[in-house]
Amino acid sequence: MTAATHSTLFPGAPGPSQFPAPPQDADAVLDGLDPEQREVATALHGPVCVLAGAGTGKTRAITHRIAYGVRAGILQPSSVLAVTFTNRAAGEMRGRLRQLGAGGVQARTFHSAALRQLQYFWPKAVGGELPRLLERKVQLVAEAGARCRIRLDRNELRDVTSEIEWAKVTQTVPSDYPAAVAKSLRDAPRDPAEIGQIYAMYEQLKRDRSAIDFEDVLLLTVGILQDRHDIADQIRRQYQHFVVDEYQDVSPLQQRLLDLWLGDRDSLCVVGDASQTIYSFTGATPDHLLNFRTRHPGATVVKLVRDYRSTPQVVHLANGLLAQARGRAAEHRLELISQRDPGPEPVFAEYADEPAEAEGTARRIRDLIAAGVPAGEIAVLYRINAQSEVYEQALADAGVPYQLRGAERFFERAEVREAGVALRGAARAGGNDSLLDDAEDLPSQVRAVLSTKGWTTEPPAGSGAVRDRWESLAALVRLAEDFARARPGATLGDLVAELDERAAAQHAPTVQGVTLASLHSAKGLEWDAVFLVGLTEGMMPITYAKTDEQVEEERRLLYVGVTRARLHLTLSWALARSPGGRASRRPTRFLTGLRPGSAAPGARTAGGGAGIERGGTATAGARRGRRGPVRCRVCGATLTDAGEMKLMRCEDCPSDMDEALYERLREWRSEQAGRLGQPPYCVFTDKTLMAIAETVPATDGELARISGVGVRKLDRFGADVLAICAGQDPGEGDGED
């Protein structure tokens, strides 16, 4: 997982591990910049607008601009305020400025800069100490709801808190909240009038307890600067030059604060890309970027379109994606030009069902790692966090280490843990649980139990914590349906045991590995290889994207995902949810005209070498060509469960497993895992060991035919396994490549 953008891709730029001496003079600061970046760096007077596409080196351009101004004596370091949106980005900017000999420049987030000013000027403007800053507002929102006699569960509480934050950054007072929601076509998590009540009570409680929240930091700073011209003048004397990064994400409240910092001056440089606006649900809007030239008619506008991150093949697909976009942001899209050598064509992969898609993705990742791509330079990106579970399982089965970004592991999520407790209790109660009176089979039992935890037959409207909770519970319902289909006689207790086994396998210590992340949390990062998964209608765009603008934001979200890839890019979808299900799904509309075989009139295509690969349900390298169903080697029944397909038999069919051999294999696996510093499942899963103990392979070919034993593991562990199967002691090697 790498922060964008790799400095080593720019001519004359130091590698991330080097600490070169600062440039000797101002002109040396410009060395290594391309013509457009140099234009940004030397445009030091008047308003400047930098339209910077993904991977074009915008941070490099603006830090060199500041450093050039400082080294040339045009800008005083203490007079410059550079503003960005995350502490990580601000820290990176400060580090780059120090390397360029421009230490002393303030690089902060909006909130950080405003809080410093508020702390300094509060005694003078208001008197006394600054009210206590609330680190988390959830508890106070909960109390506000209780006082309004409105009961909020934990997920509703999180959503209502987010709505209050949105209202404040859009400068909406409590009484105006319902009308603002209606005007913006926003999906409120519950009745807007109720949220307005809670919002008003929350504000009252803060006043009563002399407390402020993070949005108040901006609001109060704006209020002081508006009312106290002497303080506003003092700040304007301090800061005379402003730089704003990620300007497409500025909220109305942040723009108001920026206007007050500036006053009637125009020494402002903004940097952004309207095509990467993906946070409108938090109040962000690209309007300020798109209206910049209207507000500042004499502005210098520079476009950065040389993409140093991605290959021409990836860039071509990204450009094609935006070429079909509509709306105002699309009118200002940038046509990127790759500066890298050609690479492989993007892969479009179609699978029969979601487990097959996950297993196929894990298999491709395993192949990339075997070919030398570090696991930490690979990412699987999906639309919602609830999609992670099937990929966590598939990577674990493939022995590939992974890490989650911006989300808990599936079985560690609060709602999944609560559901597990409820299912375990129902399993113990058996026929004595009245909830299960009308439940005739396992899936209906699970639905009955989970309905008490928030699951419903129809998903809730809109996004947010309530929707996230529902998606997690729905994933458990689907898992129960698949489990019952694979094991017709299974009980609720059997399902609980299966969930416990899965949870245990995925609670292994986090190791450096493949990144699993939502598309939103991937913004600002990049990897050598990116897998964009689950690209079907209803997921991309998401079901609750109703308006044209909401759909276009979904397109931009996919664009952000595509532009995270440097070299390898795979886009995949599944035609059905579960094995044997009806193939009713369609790939996302955003790929129409881009994926092979979908060319629309006048649409661009994504490159001559690309093709759609068809994926099945087989998981082992030796069975990649399989087209027919996988059948039980005992009774001949069609297998759909991934674990049964590993064993090549139904779970209930008689096993001829050599128990002693199985135990020897488990002992050997524990030793290998200890030597490698990895969880045991990264060597072989339990099901794979069972399959080995049942078939007792005698040759490399026989071992390779077992699901879960690919070429890489055959090379690494094959000799040891065959020796154990032959009743011999394994070799003395440590199992390393």
Side-chain angles (χ1 to χ4, degrees):
M1 182 167 56
T2 311
T5 291
H6 253 198
S7 60
T8 51
L9 295 177
F10 297 99
S17 62
Q18 301 172 24
F19 298 93
Q24 292 184 346
D25 52 32
D27 289 339
V29 172
L30 304 177
D31 290 346
L33 299 182
D34 68 31
E36 294 79 26
Q37 291 170 346
R38 183 180 287 255
E39 187 177 351
V40 172
T42 54
L44 295 172
H45 301 286
V48 178
C49 179
V50 183
L51 302 176
T56 57
K58 64 181 178 61
T59 304
R60 179 177 174 80
I62 58 177
T63 52
H64 280 67
R65 177 184 187 271
I66 295 170
Y68 178 72
V70 169
R71 300 294 295 276
I74 299 171
L75 305 177
Q76 291 299 315
S78 59
S79 72
V80 179
L81 178 59
V83 187
T84 188
F85 280 80
T86 67
N87 290 321
R88 179 183 60 78
E92 180 187 354
M93 191 176 290
R94 287 193 297 270
R96 291 199 191 196
L97 288 168
R98 281 194 299 271
Q99 288 183 6
L100 293 169
V105 172
Q106 292 291 316
R108 296 184 172 275
T109 64
F110 270 103
H111 283 90
S112 173
L115 181 59
R116 290 189 77 209
Q117 294 173 13
L118 197 60
Q119 289 170 331
Y120 184 80
F121 288 109
W122 185 268
K124 178 179 179 180
V126 181
E129 293 185 358
L130 181 69
R132 175 176 59 93
L133 180 63
L134 292 172
E135 292 294 330
R136 297 177 69 250
K137 56 173 70 72
V138 171
Q139 290 180 333
L140 208 58
V141 174
E143 185 177 341
R147 292 204 177 194
C148 294
R149 297 185 178 181
I150 299 172
R151 185 178 177 276
L152 301 171
D153 66 28
R154 182 169 55 188
N155 290 282
E156 289 177 317
L157 187 57
R158 200 172 87 189
D159 284 342
V160 170
T161 301
S162 296
E163 285 300 293
I164 291 173
E165 291 171 351
W166 173 81
K168 297 183 78 165
V169 300
T170 55
Q171 302 176 85
T172 302
V173 298
S175 58
D176 293 341
Y177 172 79
V181 167
K183 183 178 180 180
S184 66
L185 301 177
R186 187 176 179 85
D187 281 320
R190 61 184 302 145
D191 181 7
E194 289 184 342
I195 295 178
Q197 280 182 274
I198 296 170
Y199 179 14
M201 179 58 69
Y202 167 76
E203 291 297 312
Q204 182 62 51
L205 289 174
K206 281 201 289 101
R207 285 192 294 270
D208 292 347
R209 296 173 189 182
S210 188
I212 60 174
D213 59 28
F214 279 100
E215 289 71 40
D216 290 330
V217 170
L218 301 185
L219 285 163
L220 291 170
T221 306
V222 164
I224 288 174
L225 295 182
Q226 285 180 160
D227 296 342
R228 292 291 299 267
H229 298 294
D230 56 330
I231 292 176
D233 289 342
Q234 189 173 342
I235 290 176
R236 290 167 191 160
R237 285 194 298 271
Q238 170 71 48
Y239 294 118
Q240 298 170 21
H241 309 280
F242 296 86
V243 177
V244 184
D245 194 12
E246 302 287 2
Y247 194 55
Q248 77 278 353
D249 291 332
V250 164
S251 71
L253 178 56
Q254 290 165 332
Q255 180 62 46
R256 182 65 187 132
L257 177 58
L258 179 62
D259 289 340
L260 288 164
W261 280 341
L262 272 168
D264 57 2
R265 299 165 300 170
D266 62 2
S267 186
L268 171 66
C269 174
V270 300
V271 188
D273 179 9
S275 296
Q276 295 188 67
T277 305
I278 60 173
Y279 295 112
S280 64
F281 59 90
T282 66
T285 170
D287 289 348
H288 307 298
L289 177 66
L290 299 177
N291 294 336
F292 192 83
R293 280 175 286 186
T294 302
R295 297 184 65 190
H296 304 278
T300 299
V301 179
V302 184
K303 294 182 179 180
L304 301 183
V305 296
R306 299 175 195 254
D307 188 325
Y308 295 92
R309 177 188 302 161
S310 304
T311 62
Q313 287 75 12
V314 173
V315 166
H316 186 58
L317 177 60
N319 286 337
L321 193 60
L322 285 189
Q324 302 181 20
R326 300 291 179 267
R328 191 161 177 234
E331 295 170 4
H332 296 79
R333 62 179 174 266
L334 300 168
E335 187 88 5
L336 300 178
I337 304 170
S338 175
Q339 305 299 297
R340 294 194 58 164
D341 292 335
E345 291 286 346
V347 173
F348 296 86
E350 182 176 278
Y351 293 91
D353 50 69
E354 287 181 5
E357 182 180 11
E359 291 164 11
T361 300
R363 187 167 60 245
R364 290 176 181 277
I365 289 172
R366 190 176 58 194
D367 292 343
L368 281 175
I369 293 172
V373 179
E377 285 295 349
I378 303 174
V380 178
L381 306 181
Y382 35 74
R383 178 61 180 84
I384 59 173
N385 286 324
Q387 291 172 273
S388 76
E389 191 272 338
V390 68
Y391 291 93
E392 293 177 51
Q393 186 69 42
L395 290 172
D397 286 345
V400 176
Y402 64 86
Q403 56 183 340
L404 274 84
R405 176 179 175 82
E408 298 167 297
R409 293 171 184 259
F410 182 80
F411 287 102
E412 292 173 4
R413 295 174 192 163
E415 62 269 24
V416 175
R417 291 200 305 269
E418 291 171 11
V421 170
L423 290 169
R424 194 171 290 108
R428 281 198 302 267
N432 297 322
D433 192 332
S434 59
L435 264 178
L436 308 181
D437 286 349
D438 298 323
E440 297 179 356
D441 55 16
L442 176 59
S444 59
Q445 289 176 343
V446 172
R447 293 187 201 103
V449 173
L450 297 189
S451 65
T452 67
K453 298 297 177 184
W455 180 83
T456 55
T457 54
E458 293 297 323
S463 58
V466 172
R467 177 73 182 222
D468 290 345
R469 179 184 180 87
W470 183 90
E471 293 285 1
S472 294
L473 296 177
L476 289 174
V477 171
R478 292 196 297 269
L479 194 151
E481 292 168 350
D482 294 344
F483 188 69
R485 191 179 298 112
R487 295 181 57 182
T491 66
L492 196 55
D494 294 331
L495 176 65
V496 169
E498 171 73 10
L499 294 178
D500 288 344
E501 184 179 327
R502 291 187 178 216
Q506 295 176 20
H507 280 169
T510 300
V511 294
Q512 175 66 15
V514 173
T515 297
L516 298 179
S518 70
L519 286 162
H520 280 102
S521 65
K523 179 76 163 62
L525 301 171
E526 60 184 57
W527 295 267
D528 284 344
V530 169
F531 291 79
L532 301 176
V533 299
L535 300 181
T536 59
E537 285 290 312
M539 193 59 73
M540 177 57 66
I542 198 76
T543 306
Y544 49 77
K546 304 294 187 185
T547 67
D548 289 344
E549 178 48 42
Q550 288 169 340
V551 170
E552 285 305 315
E553 181 149 337
E554 293 286 300
R555 187 195 305 274
R556 295 194 294 269
L557 189 57
L558 181 57
Y559 172 78
V560 166
V562 167
T563 55
R564 298 311 93 194
R566 298 192 196 107
L567 182 62
H568 303 281
L569 176 63
T570 299
L571 305 96
S572 65
W573 58 91
L575 299 179
R577 180 181 62 77
S578 57
R582 189 163 61 92
S584 58
R585 292 180 171 179
R586 293 183 294 116
T588 173
R589 71 191 75 170
F590 299 145
L591 296 182
T592 301
L594 299 174
R595 59 184 174 86
S598 67
R604 301 183 54 178
T605 57
I612 294 184
E613 297 188 10
R614 311 288 176 179
T617 56
T619 57
R623 288 198 294 276
R624 286 178 194 170
R626 182 183 298 275
R627 286 294 179 266
V630 181
R631 299 193 181 278
C632 173
R633 57 188 168 84
V634 179
C635 70
T638 299
L639 301 178
T640 57
D641 177 74
E644 292 183 341
M645 287 191 286
K646 282 182 181 291
L647 295 175
M648 290 297 290
R649 66 167 175 82
C650 299
E651 196 82 45
D652 296 331
C653 281
S655 169
D656 53 359
M657 183 176 71
D658 184 331
E659 296 285 352
L661 173 58
Y662 179 65
E663 288 305 318
R664 289 198 301 274
L665 287 168
R666 283 175 59 88
E667 290 173 6
W668 166 83
R669 182 182 66 171
S670 295
E671 293 173 0
Q672 292 298 319
R675 288 175 179 146
L676 295 172
Q678 294 181 337
Y681 68 79
C682 288
V683 179
F684 286 120
T685 63
D686 286 346
K687 287 286 172 56
T688 300
L689 291 188
M690 290 173 65
I692 294 171
E694 289 186 359
T695 57
V696 194
T699 66
D700 283 352
E702 292 175 0
L703 181 58
R705 282 194 289 273
I706 296 174
S707 178
V709 183
V711 174
R712 184 163 169 265
K713 289 195 177 181
L714 185 65
D715 291 342
R716 177 180 282 192
F717 304 121
D720 279 6
V721 171
L722 291 174
I724 295 171
C725 289
Q728 302 166 359
D729 290 332
E732 296 299 323
D734 62 2
E736 301 267 0
D737 279 334

